[in-house]
């Protein structure tokens, strides 16, 4: 029930898009839709968007899985620091990274920099879940494959890859959807993709219907991605069959490959964080005419943290319902509910924001320009992140534990709380942190839906860069990266009971 | 503690019915084994008893309370039926003490009862270890302690020893048996291992294709099975054709000669002997020829052929016999007549 309600919340923007399109088509007999879809520009947008998404996803998958393996299964030095560094790109908004690269290589624009920036920024979406999956994967399967005569690579493919594939697929889905709906970086790097085009059409009143049709095509693309991920994830039950305890594999010795391995691990953090950091530092040192108002900065930091954590809380509650359902059940209805939960992520923040404006003005005018509406937008936008984390965590807990708890006298809810929720807790918590992190960086929805007078770090950066006050934007950008680094750092902490041999 | 009575229980998954009318009873304080090959419905039966799956027809009674059937269904947490799952399924985030005390309700009792159970299973020294720090046998002992700690009406044991290696299995088995006795627990052991069922249980119920085909004492199901399938499932058989039956002396004429049988049976077609009942006496004029001898330590298994071509198996201290030797047969005890 709750899962269905969550799915309903998530589909609000989609409903709006469909209503607008159908309404428009009824008025003019579908001419606008046909014209939009057959314009040569549309095909071009489609090709560019698809190519960018595919390129970024493949890069993230390769780099993310390789990084995770290096971090968990090898004797790479400074493992802890490298793990923190590999999560760092999450703290950098795509528009800040893009700004950093433009400041470093003036005039750089188009496909190549967009691919580079978005890959660097999205790689942790794959790295972090695969690190978690590798930590809990049973090394015995790989060892068995080796004993049966497989090469190390084939043994890894048959023994370990299937155990981490669900996590990698969920991460790749996040990276792909992030790319498909990114607005900040592609706008700054002037790459004409769907989001960029939609925002330009939206801002002109005549183009609104075109924008709606384009947004619908984008939703279709996102649904295809979700379907692809589900196919990879398959129907298999994934909890381990070995006896209760977990064993760690002996680390692979890197030897002479150590330095290349470290360089590989530094690739994404360098591109996403180091280069922009240097650029920001230079801007900061160069200074500007405008003096920095510390009071403004502090209040922006506080409201960013408050809005993001409230949004994360709401999102997690909604995601928990869907996550529990999809981890334990299969079927057409469940698939539909899950796909519904993922719709929001593929919609640009701009579209979600405008659809919520439309819905609130038409249905509940009291909600317009309230933080509640902003929370709702965050929930719609970030549900997929939280669902992925929740579902994966729950699926790894064997159902027999909850059944045993019930036989020992716990009621249905108490039994789940004492076993499944307790064990999946760290993973679900990580999902919430991820949502909080993303909410801090979110730009277009915050810009449109915030109550008058509420300034977050993201909106302050945007308004200052818009007026070409790059130097004035720099302190806010630094503050945002620092603030976002807190949940990013927490995300890399080893999960409580798995690593230390148990706590409390 | 109290007994279990299952009457006409049907259960399945969707259109597939797995249990086709189970009748089974376990007396108070008894250890019953449900023995069946894989796929016979053992796990489903166990899940219905624990309340993790609902029967579609029939009743399950624990003590004097119907827990499933007659329009009633008691959820697992209120059945007082605990489970020792395969491979233990200890809670990985809880230490040994917390695992064992998990099901104990009354607060003043918890500490004392937990300590008592840890003592009983010899795990007191490991009270604050986590499951992954224990060996397989230790995990299994904790799982048994956890299931017994709340003093349940019935404990269900789901192939609890299959993950242990052979010598450890024997040891943990007898420990668990002692523990169940000490606790006067009513227990139902589900297994596909004949030796386990026969050596541990007070009563053995043989489950075949979703039906209990026979329930009796271990000795009775082994020596006096109802049919050939049960006879073979419980161990190696020697089956001889009944050519003639003499009710006066209770003997049957077979290709191996005249044999004493336990009691007459309507339509009897075979005499069942167990290989250890055959006594082989070396005799150059004997009726049987040794084909193969495999030495197992305590006994040797001998494959023989009668002069009419009937193959037989014998088991005993025959390690010195050589293939090709001729032997005369004698029988220890009596045969058992089978009709089908």
């Amino acid at each position: 029930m709750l899962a269905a309600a969550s799915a309903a919340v998530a589909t609000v923007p989609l409903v709006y898009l469909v209503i607008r399109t159908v309404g428009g088509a009824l008025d003019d007999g579908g001419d606008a839709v046909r014209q939009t879809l057959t314009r040569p520009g549309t095909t071009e947008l489609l090709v560019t968007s698809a190519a960018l998404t595919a390129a970024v996803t493949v890069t993230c998958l390769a780099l993310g899985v390789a990084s995770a393996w290096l971090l968990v299964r090898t004797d790479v030095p400074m493992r802890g620091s490298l793990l923190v560094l590999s999560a760092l790109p999450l703290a950098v908004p795509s528009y800040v990274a893009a700004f950093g690269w433009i400041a470093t290589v003036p005039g750089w624009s188009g496909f190549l920099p967009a691919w580079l920036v978005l890959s660097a920024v999205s790689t942790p979406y794959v790295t972090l879940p695969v690190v978690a999956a590798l930590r809990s994967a049973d090394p015995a399967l790989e060892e068995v494959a080796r004993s049966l005569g497989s090469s190390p690579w084939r043994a890894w493919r048959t023994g370990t890859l299937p155990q981490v594939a669900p996590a990698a697929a969920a991460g790749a889905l996040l990276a792909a959807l992030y790319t498909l709906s990114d607005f900040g970086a592609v706008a700054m790097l002037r790459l004409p993709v769907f989001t960029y085009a939609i925002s330009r059409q939206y801002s002109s009143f005549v183009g609104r219907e075109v924008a709606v049709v384009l947004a619908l095509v984008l939703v279709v693309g996102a649904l295809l991605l979700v379907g692809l991920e589900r196919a990879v994830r398959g129907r298999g039950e994934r909890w381990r069959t070995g006896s209760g305890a977990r064993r760690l594999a002996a680390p692979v010795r890197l030897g002479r490959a150590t330095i290349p391995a470290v360089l590989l691990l530094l690739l994404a953090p360098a591109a996403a964080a180091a280069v922009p950091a240097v650029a920001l530092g230079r801007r900061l040192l160069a200074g500007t005419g405008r003096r920095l108002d510390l009071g403004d900065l502090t209040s922006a930091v506080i409201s960013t943290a408050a809005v993001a954590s409230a949004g994360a809380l709401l999102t997690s509650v909604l995601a928990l319902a869907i996550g529990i359902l999809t981890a334990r059940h299969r079927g057409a209805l469940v698939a539909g509910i899950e796909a519904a939960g993922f719709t929001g992520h593929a919609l640009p923040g701009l579209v979600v924001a405008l659809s919520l404006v439309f819905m609130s003005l038409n249905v509940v005018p009291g909600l317009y320009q309230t933080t509640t509406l902003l929370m709702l937008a965050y929930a719609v936008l970030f549900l997929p992140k939280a669902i992925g984390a929740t579902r994966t965590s729950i699926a790894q807990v064997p159902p027999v534990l909850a059944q045993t708890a019930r036989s020992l006298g716990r009621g249905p809810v108490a039994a789940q709380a004492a076993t499944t929720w307790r064990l999946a807790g760290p993973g679900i918590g990580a999902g919430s942190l991820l949502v909080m992190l993303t909410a801090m960086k979110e730009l277009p929805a915050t810009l449109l839906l915030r109550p008058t007078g509420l300034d977050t770090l993201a909106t302050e950066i945007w308004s200052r860069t818009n007026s070409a006050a790059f130097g004035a934007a720099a302190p806010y950008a630094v503050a945002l990266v620092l603030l976002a680094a807190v949940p990013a750092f927490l995300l890399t902490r080893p999960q409580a009971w798995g690593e230390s041999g148990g706590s409390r | 503690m109290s007994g279990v009575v299952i009457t006409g229980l049907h259960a399945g998954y969707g259109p597939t019915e797995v249990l086709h009318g189970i009748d089974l009873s376990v007396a108070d304080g008894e250890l019953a084994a449900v023995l069946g090959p894989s796929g016979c419905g053992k796990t489903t039966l166990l899940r219905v008893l624990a309340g993790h799956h609902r029967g579609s027809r029939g009743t399950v009674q624990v003590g004097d309370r119907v827990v499933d059937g007659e329009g009633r269904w008691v959820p697992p947490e209120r059945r007082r039926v605990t489970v020792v799952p395969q491979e233990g399924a200890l809670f990985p985030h809880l230490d040994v003490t917390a695992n064992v005390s998990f099901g104990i309700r009354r607060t003043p009792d918890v500490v004392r009862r937990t300590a008592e159970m840890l003592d009983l299973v010899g795990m007191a020294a490991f009270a604050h270890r986590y499951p992954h720090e224990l060996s397989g046998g230790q995990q299994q002992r904790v799982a048994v302690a956890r299931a017994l700690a709340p003093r349940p009406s019935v404990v269900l044991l789901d192939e609890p020893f299959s993950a242990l290696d052979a010598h450890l299995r024997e040891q943990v088995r007898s420990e668990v048996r002692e523990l169940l006795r000490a606790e006067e627990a009513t227990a139902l052991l589900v297994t596909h291992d004949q030796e386990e069922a026969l050596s541990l249980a007070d009563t053995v119920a043989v489950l075949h294709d979703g039906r209990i085909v026979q329930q009796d004492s271990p000795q009775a199901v082994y020596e006096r099975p109802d049919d050939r399938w049960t006879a073979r499932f419980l161990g190696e058989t020697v089956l001889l054709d009944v050519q003639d039956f003499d009710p006066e002396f209770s003997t049957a004429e077979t290709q191996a000669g005249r044999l004493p049988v336990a009691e007459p049976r309507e339509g009897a077609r075979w005499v069942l002997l167990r290989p250890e009942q055959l006594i082989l006496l070396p005799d150059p004029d004997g009726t049987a020829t040794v084909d193969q001898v495999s030495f197992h330590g305590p006994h040797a298994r001998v494959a023989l052929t009668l002069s009419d071509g009937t193959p037989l198996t014998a088991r005993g201290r025959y390690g010195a016999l050589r293939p090709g030797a001729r032997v005369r047969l004698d029988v220890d005890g009596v045969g058992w007549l089978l009709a089908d």
Side-chain angles (χ1 to χ4, degrees):
Chain A
M1 273 305 270
L2 191 56
S6 308
V9 169
T11 43
V12 162
L14 188 62
V15 170
Y16 164 62
L17 289 178
V18 172
I19 289 174
R20 286 294 296 251
T21 315
V22 171
L26 287 180
D27 286 346
D28 66 0
D31 282 349
V33 176
R34 204 171 312 119
Q35 273 170 22
T36 309
L37 288 180
T38 50
R39 280 190 330 172
T42 306
T43 320
E44 235 170 82
L45 283 178
L46 202 62
V47 171
T48 316
S49 272
L52 185 67
T53 306
V56 169
T57 308
V58 169
T59 312
C60 289
L61 255 181
L63 195 58
V65 173
S67 302
W69 181 80
L70 286 171
L71 287 167
V72 178
R73 289 285 170 89
T74 69
D75 62 348
V76 72
M78 298 174 297
R79 182 194 300 241
S81 323
L82 283 172
L83 184 58
V84 174
L85 280 181
S86 66
L88 194 62
L90 283 184
V92 184
S94 66
Y95 50 92
V96 171
F99 162 66
W101 277 94
I102 295 172
T104 312
V105 191
W108 209 23
S109 66
F111 189 88
L112 202 64
W115 176 20
L116 175 98
V117 165
L118 287 171
S119 296
V121 167
S122 320
T123 297
Y125 287 134
V126 177
T127 312
L128 295 183
V130 176
V131 162
L134 271 178
R135 275 184 181 153
S136 59
D138 187 355
L141 292 175
E142 191 173 333
E143 290 161 8
V144 168
R146 287 299 293 277
S147 322
L148 291 171
S150 299
S151 64
W153 165 238
R154 183 160 166 247
W156 186 83
R157 248 174 38 220
T158 49
T160 302
L161 184 63
Q163 297 189 69
V164 301
L173 179 64
L174 288 184
L177 292 176
Y178 183 88
T179 308
L180 204 58
S181 58
D182 178 72
F183 168 69
V186 289
M188 281 194 178
L189 297 166
R190 314 216 175 286
L191 181 69
V193 291
F194 262 99
T195 48
Y196 190 44
I198 291 167
S199 79
R200 299 226 337 223
Q201 297 291 349
Y202 245 126
S203 39
S204 70
F205 269 97
V206 283
R208 279 210 165 179
E209 299 314 318
V210 177
V212 167
V213 176
L214 291 180
L216 264 182
V217 177
L218 201 55
V219 172
V220 171
L223 291 180
L224 285 177
L225 288 174
V226 173
L228 200 66
E229 193 253 359
R230 282 187 66 88
V232 173
R233 179 149 45 89
R235 311 174 57 92
E237 298 181 333
R238 282 183 305 285
W239 45 85
R240 288 173 336 114
T241 49
S243 50
R246 160 196 307 185
R247 209 162 45 80
L248 285 178
V252 173
R253 294 182 167 279
L254 286 174
R256 260 180 297 173
T258 303
I259 291 171
V262 172
L263 290 179
L264 187 76
L265 286 171
L266 288 176
L267 214 56
V275 170
V278 170
L280 282 176
R282 287 217 321 263
R283 289 285 183 182
L284 212 54
L285 288 178
T288 46
R290 230 194 286 182
R291 232 165 46 86
L292 172 65
D293 186 334
L294 271 179
D296 274 359
L297 184 61
T298 315
S299 79
V301 167
I302 291 170
S303 43
T304 303
V307 169
S309 29
L313 193 69
L314 176 65
T315 310
S316 302
V317 170
L318 295 179
L320 202 58
I322 297 184
I324 290 171
L325 187 71
T326 54
R328 289 282 191 253
H329 304 279
R330 283 276 176 271
L333 183 67
V334 172
I337 285 178
E338 185 179 21
F342 271 94
T343 45
H345 200 66
L347 298 170
L350 194 69
V351 175
V352 171
L354 279 172
S355 71
L356 285 174
V357 168
F358 172 85
M359 294 293 282
S360 65
L361 286 180
N362 280 289
V363 187
V364 218
L367 269 182
Y368 182 59
Q369 284 219 331
T370 60
T371 35
T372 314
L373 199 61
L374 186 57
M375 302 294 96
L376 221 53
Y378 286 159
V380 172
L381 283 169
F382 306 134
L383 257 180
K385 286 188 172 60
I387 293 171
T390 308
R391 185 192 60 212
T392 312
S393 310
I394 290 176
Q396 279 189 344
V397 181
V400 66
L401 293 181
Q403 288 171 2
T404 306
R406 283 199 78 183
S407 292
L408 289 168
R410 300 290 159 96
V413 176
Q416 294 294 344
T419 57
T420 313
W421 297 351
R422 172 64 186 73
L423 288 167
I428 296 171
S432 308
L433 282 175
L434 201 61
V435 170
M436 194 171 149
L437 187 63
T438 323
M440 284 177 178
K441 304 185 299 182
E442 209 289 328
L443 178 65
T446 316
L447 214 51
L448 267 142
L449 293 173
R450 67 192 162 134
T452 323
L454 181 91
D455 290 317
T456 70
L457 290 168
T459 61
E460 293 279 27
I461 296 168
W462 183 255
S463 58
R464 279 170 172 72
T465 35
N466 250 7
S467 52
F470 288 118
Y476 287 89
V478 171
L480 179 57
V481 171
L482 288 180
L483 185 61
V486 175
F489 173 72
L490 290 176
L491 273 176
T492 61
R493 308 282 299 172
Q495 305 198 341
W497 54 271
E499 222 61 6
S500 54
S503 59
R504 275 145 297 136
Chain B
M1 293 289 173
S2 44
V4 176
V5 179
I6 299 170
T7 324
L9 179 70
H10 292 250
Y13 304 89
T16 335
E17 195 178 78
V18 180
L19 303 179
H20 315 290
I22 298 276
D23 293 299
L24 175 69
S25 59
V26 186
D28 191 5
E30 202 175 54
L31 169 57
V34 171
L35 176 65
S38 55
C40 70
K42 293 188 302 267
T43 305
T44 307
L45 176 61
L46 203 102
R47 288 173 55 80
V48 173
L49 273 171
H52 300 311
H53 190 79
R54 285 178 94 136
S56 48
R57 249 192 302 155
T59 58
V60 178
Q61 197 178 325
V62 174
D64 44 17
R65 190 163 64 125
V66 172
V67 295
D68 193 345
E70 295 174 3
R72 294 187 49 192
W73 184 77
V74 179
E77 65 273 19
R78 278 192 255 122
R79 290 194 175 193
R80 302 178 48 76
V81 174
T82 59
V83 187
V84 180
Q86 279 181 40
E87 304 187 341
L90 295 180
F91 302 123
H93 56 299
L94 301 178
D95 67 6
V96 167
T97 305
N99 262 288
V100 172
S101 61
F102 190 92
I104 309 173
R105 269 303 164 82
R106 289 182 308 279
T107 7
D109 200 30
V110 172
V111 176
R112 199 186 51 75
R113 178 69 175 159
T114 307
E116 182 189 20
M117 288 315 299
L118 287 179
D119 265 345
L120 267 175
V121 296
M123 291 294 293
F126 301 91
H128 297 293
R129 293 279 188 90
Y130 280 82
H132 69 274
E133 299 169 312
L134 303 176
S135 71
Q138 290 171 329
Q139 290 187 21
Q140 211 49 260
R141 280 187 217 146
V142 176
V144 172
R146 179 180 65 181
L148 286 173
R151 301 182 211 275
S153 301
V154 181
V155 183
L156 305 177
L157 302 142
D158 183 6
E159 310 222 3
F161 313 111
S162 58
L164 306 177
D165 59 64
H167 78 279
L168 190 63
R169 194 182 308 160
E170 193 64 41
Q171 187 194 335
V172 177
R173 253 186 217 163
S174 58
E175 280 172 9
V176 168
R177 185 73 195 97
E178 284 315 303
L179 202 62
L180 293 171
R181 285 232 170 82
E183 287 284 311
E184 296 172 359
T186 307
L188 194 105
L189 167 75
V190 156
T191 181
H192 65 268
D193 183 332
Q194 301 83 348
E195 195 198 321
E196 186 164 292
L198 295 175
S199 64
L200 277 181
D202 301 313
T203 168
V204 175
V206 181
L207 186 58
H208 183 210
D209 278 344
R211 287 186 182 84
I212 299 286
V213 290
Q214 190 173 359
Q215 185 184 3
D216 218 325
S217 71
Q219 206 176 347
V221 290
Y222 182 72
E223 291 175 355
R224 302 191 289 278
D226 276 353
D227 54 26
R228 276 191 303 163
W229 185 90
T230 312
R232 284 182 176 143
F233 184 65
L234 279 148
E236 269 193 292
T237 56
V238 173
L239 287 172
L240 297 165
D241 300 326
V242 174
Q243 287 154 358
D244 189 30
F245 179 66
D246 181 347
E248 195 181 339
F249 296 101
S250 201
T251 54
E253 190 66 41
T254 71
Q255 62 266 55
R258 182 167 290 274
L259 300 175
V261 293
E263 55 191 64
R265 182 174 199 142
E266 194 76 24
R269 293 170 61 195
W270 298 280
V271 176
L272 167 75
L273 292 171
R274 292 297 182 180
E276 62 274 17
Q277 285 181 273
L278 283 185
I279 299 167
L280 310 181
L281 302 162
D283 181 346
D285 302 322
T287 52
T289 313
V290 173
D291 296 324
Q292 201 183 40
V293 181
S294 50
F295 185 64
H296 292 260
H299 69 266
R301 186 178 173 281
V302 182
L304 312 146
T305 315
L306 284 178
S307 45
D308 73 335
T310 312
L312 301 177
T313 310
R315 197 161 41 213
R317 300 181 56 191
Y318 301 124
L321 281 178
R322 289 289 163 264
R326 294 191 72 83
V327 292
R328 186 156 48 86
L329 298 180
D330 203 350
V331 171
D332 181 15
V334 294
W336 176 251
L337 291 173
L338 289 173
D340 64 343

